[in-house]
C-alpha cells in the first residue's frame, strides 16, 4: 500500500451518521459533515413530510427517512437534533434498532434533563453523550443550517459518571472535525452557565419586545420604524423559535429563575439610582459591562 | 449660462458646515457630507488635542478648531455632536459668534432637555432645530464614523412651537442629502418612543451583562467563552460609551422609568409562569415578540 499522500482527504470519523431532525442544527451538521468528510454516509429523519421533501431537494443527505428507527438502524453515530422535550420518546423508538456499538449524542440547549432521560435506557446510557454546540442563528428549518455554523464555536460535552470514555472521545472528534472547539463539564454546571449566557438573555429579549408592543403611548409601527437605536438587537434574539425556547426555559427553570432573581434586584437598583439622579452608579455599572464586551471580542466569540 | 448637465454634482446644502465634536457621529457626518457634497467647507471642533490630531491625520475636515466659537463663526449650519449634557454650555459659547442667519441643530438621543436648553437663548431659539439621527454602532471616536452610517436610517426632527420653518427645512434637506429619511414629532413624544426603542434596551443590556459578571457559580471566563448563545448580542449593545449613556438615561429618566415599571411587571409574570411550569404563557409571549421582528425586517431596519 502506498503511503498516504499529503492531499488525501482525512478518513471519516464515522461510516454512517444518522441525524434525527432536519431543522437549523440538523441541516447544519449534515452540510458540515459532508463538507469536512466527517461521515461516509448521512441519513436524516424528520417527522414532517414537507421538511423531508425539502431535504431531498436540497440534497445534503444520502438517505431521508420518516421513521427515526429506520434512520438509526446501522448508524455508527446518531445525533438527536429535534426538540429536547422529545428526547425520551425518540430514545425509546430508536433503542431497539441500534447497533450494539452505536454512539448516540444530542444537541439540546439543556443537559441535566437530557442526561436524566437517557439514564432510563440502561443498555444505551453508557454510549449516550449529552452535548451542546453553542452556535445558532435566529433562522429555522433545513434551508438555514450553513456548513460553517460551528466553525470556531464551542461544543460542550456533558457526560455523566457512567458514560464510556470511547463514546466521549468519538463525539469530541466528530465535533472537532466540524470545526468546533470542545470542552467537558457536568450537565448541571452546563445548565447554570447557559442559564446566564443564553437562556436568560432570550427570556429578557422576548419579554422586552412583547412589553414594547403592548404600550399605549407608542405605536407598534413607531417601535419598528425607529428600532435601529438598540431595540432591533433584542428583536433579533426574540426571533428564535417560540416552542423551542418555551421548552428550554421550562426544562432549565430552576437555574434560570435563580439568575433572574439577581437580575431583577439589579434592575431595581438601577431604577432607584435613576430616580435619585445618581449617574455615578449607572456609569460604574455600564463601564463594568463594557469591559465584558472586550473579553468577548478577545475570545473571538463576537 | 448653459443648462445644468445631468452629470453635474448637486449644489451643496450649505456653504460652511461646523461640527462640534469629532466622535462617532461627528466624524460620520463629516465623511457623509464630503461624500455627498452636502457642504462646500467643513470645520470641526473638538475639546481633545488627541482627537484633533487624529482628525488632521484622517483628513475628513477642511479646518480643525480647538475653540467651539471659532468653529461656529461664519458657519451656515452648526451641528452639535458632543454629549447632550454640554448643550447649554456650548450654545452659550457659540451664540455670540454666530452669523444672524446661521441654523443650529444637534444629534442628541434625548430631545426635551435639549429643546429646553436651547429655549434659554432667545435670539438663537427660532433657528435651533433639535434633531436625532437614529443610527449608531458600539464604536466611538473619529475613526469610527463611516460615511454610510445614516444611509436608510431615520433622522427625527423635533422642532418646538417657535422654530422657524426655513430652519426645519434646511436641517431636513441636510439629513436627506446624507441618505437619511426624516420625520417630525414633538420632543416629548420623541423621548417616549426612544425610551422604548433605545434607552431601555441599553439599560437592560448593560444591567444583564453586569449581573452575569457578578455571579459566583459561573466564572467571567465561562460567560465570555460561551457567549455565542445570545449573551454576546447584549454585550454588543453594552459596549457603547458609558458616560454618554449615563447622561441619556438621567436626562430621559421619567420616560425610561415609566416603561421600565411595565417591563419589571412583565418579567415578574414570566417568572411566575416558569415557576408554575406554565409553558403556554411563555410561548404566547414569545410568538408575539417574534412577530415584531418580522415587522423590523419588513421595514428595512434590520
Amino acid at each position: 500500500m502506498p503511503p498516504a499522500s499529503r492531499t488525501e482527504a482525512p478518513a471519516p470519523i464515522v461510516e454512517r451518521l444518522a441525524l434525527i431532525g432536519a431543522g437549523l442544527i440538523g441541516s447544519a451538521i449534515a452540510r458540515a459533515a459532508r463538507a469536512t468528510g466527517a461521515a461516509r454516509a448521512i441519513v436524516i429523519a424528520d417527522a414532517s413530510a414537507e421538511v423531508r421533501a425539502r431535504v431531498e431537494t436540497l440534497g445534503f443527505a444520502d438517505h431521508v427517512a420518516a421513521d427515526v428507527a429506520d434512520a438509526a438502524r446501522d448508524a455508527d453515530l446518531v445525533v438527536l437534533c429535534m426538540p429536547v422535550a422529545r428526547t425520551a420518546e425518540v430514545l425509546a423508538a430508536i433503542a431497539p434498532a441500534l447497533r450494539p456499538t452505536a454512539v448516540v449524542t444530542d444537541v439540546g440547549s439543556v443537559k441535566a434533563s437530557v442526561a436524566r432521560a437517557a439514564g432510563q435506557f440502561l443498555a444505551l446510557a453508557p454510549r449516550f453523550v449529552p452535548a451542546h454546540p453553542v452556535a445558532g442563528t435566529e433562522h429555522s428549518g433545513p434551508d438555514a443550517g450553513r456548513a460553517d455554523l460551528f466553525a470556531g464555536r464551542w461544543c460542550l460535552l456533558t457526560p455523566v459518571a457512567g458514560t464510556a470514555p470511547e463514546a466521549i472521545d468519538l463525539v469530541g472528534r466528530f465535533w472537532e472535525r466540524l470545526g468546533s472547539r470542545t470542552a467537558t463539564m457536568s450537565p448541571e454546571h452546563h445548565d447554570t452557565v447557559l442559564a446566564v449566557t443564553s437562556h436568560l438573555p432570550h427570556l429578557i429579549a422576548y419579554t422586552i419586545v412583547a412589553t414594547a408592543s403592548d404600550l399605549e403611548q407608542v405605536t407598534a409601527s413607531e417601535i419598528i420604524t425607529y428600532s435601529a437605536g438598540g431595540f432591533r438587537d433584542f428583536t433579533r434574539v426574540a426571533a428564535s423559535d417560540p416552542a423551542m425556547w418555551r421548552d428550554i426555559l421550562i426544562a432549565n427553570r430552576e437555574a434560570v429563575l435563580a439568575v433572574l432573581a439577581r437580575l431583577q434586584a439589579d434592575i431595581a437598583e438601577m431604577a432607584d439610582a435613576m430616580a435619585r439622579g445618581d449617574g455615578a452608579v449607572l456609569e460604574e455599572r455600564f463601564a463594568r459591562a463594557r469591559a465584558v464586551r472586550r473579553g468577548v471580542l478577545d475570545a473571538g466569540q463576537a
Side-chain angles (χ1 to χ4, degrees), chain A:
Chain A
M1 206 165 74
S5 106
R6 283 190 166 204
T7 55
E8 196 176 311
I13 306 290
V14 294
E15 290 294 314
R16 192 175 175 89
L17 169 67
L19 302 170
I20 310 299
L24 168 69
I25 300 294
S27 67
I29 293 176
R31 289 188 179 91
R34 188 164 269 189
T36 61
R40 210 175 292 277
I42 300 172
V43 51
I44 195 160
D46 201 284
S48 153
E50 193 188 335
V51 169
R52 290 196 302 275
R54 188 70 193 142
V55 173
E56 299 272 17
T57 303
L58 292 166
F60 55 67
D62 300 293
H63 307 281
V64 182
D67 184 77
V68 294
D70 286 346
R73 204 181 321 275
D74 302 326
D76 304 293
L77 177 64
V78 180
V79 187
L80 311 186
C81 308
M82 71 298 146
V84 284
R86 290 187 53 216
T87 302
E89 167 205 335
V90 169
L91 288 176
I94 68 173
L98 286 175
R99 296 173 56 184
T101 57
V103 169
V104 182
T105 183
D106 81 313
V107 299
S109 300
V110 288
K111 297 270 65 86
S113 61
V114 166
R116 274 196 303 273
Q120 299 163 15
F121 298 87
L122 294 183
L124 169 62
R127 295 176 284 129
F128 184 87
V129 184
H132 177 204
V134 187
T137 76
E138 71 274 29
H139 305 294
S140 311
D143 287 85
R146 293 168 45 140
D148 64 354
L149 183 63
F150 311 110
R153 300 286 164 220
W154 287 91
C155 184
L156 303 178
L157 310 184
T158 66
V160 296
T163 314
E166 318 83 73
I168 303 171
D169 177 67
L170 178 78
V171 173
R173 286 187 292 118
F174 177 74
W175 278 105
E176 283 158 17
R177 178 67 71 85
L178 303 195
S180 288
R181 292 184 271 184
T182 59
T184 301
M185 59 180 67
S186 74
E188 293 71 25
H189 187 64
H190 167 278
D191 287 359
T192 298
V193 171
L194 271 287
V196 181
T197 60
S198 179
H199 307 169
L200 184 65
H202 275 83
L203 177 68
I204 295 299
Y206 277 126
T207 305
I208 200 170
V209 172
T211 301
S213 69
D214 279 347
L215 297 172
E216 301 83 26
Q217 311 95 309
V218 181
T219 67
S221 159
E222 285 177 313
I223 288 169
I224 287 167
T225 303
Y226 307 124
S227 62
F231 189 70
R232 69 172 170 199
D233 292 294
F234 286 70
T235 67
R236 200 191 72 71
V237 176
S240 306
D241 183 42
M244 184 179 87
W245 281 97
R246 173 203 63 201
D247 289 349
I248 291 170
L249 287 161
I250 294 292
N252 198 26
R253 59 185 167 170
E254 204 175 314
V256 174
L257 285 171
V259 188
L260 180 57
R262 295 286 292 266
L263 177 64
Q264 286 174 299
D266 288 348
I267 290 174
E269 199 182 314
M270 300 295 264
D272 286 347
M274 285 172 66
R276 287 196 311 271
D278 185 347
V281 169
L282 302 184
E283 190 177 3
E284 182 276 329
R285 200 69 60 100
F286 296 175
R288 205 136 49 80
R290 192 191 213 187
V292 176
R293 173 65 180 182
R294 174 57 46 201
V296 170
L297 291 171
D298 292 347
Q301 295 297 307

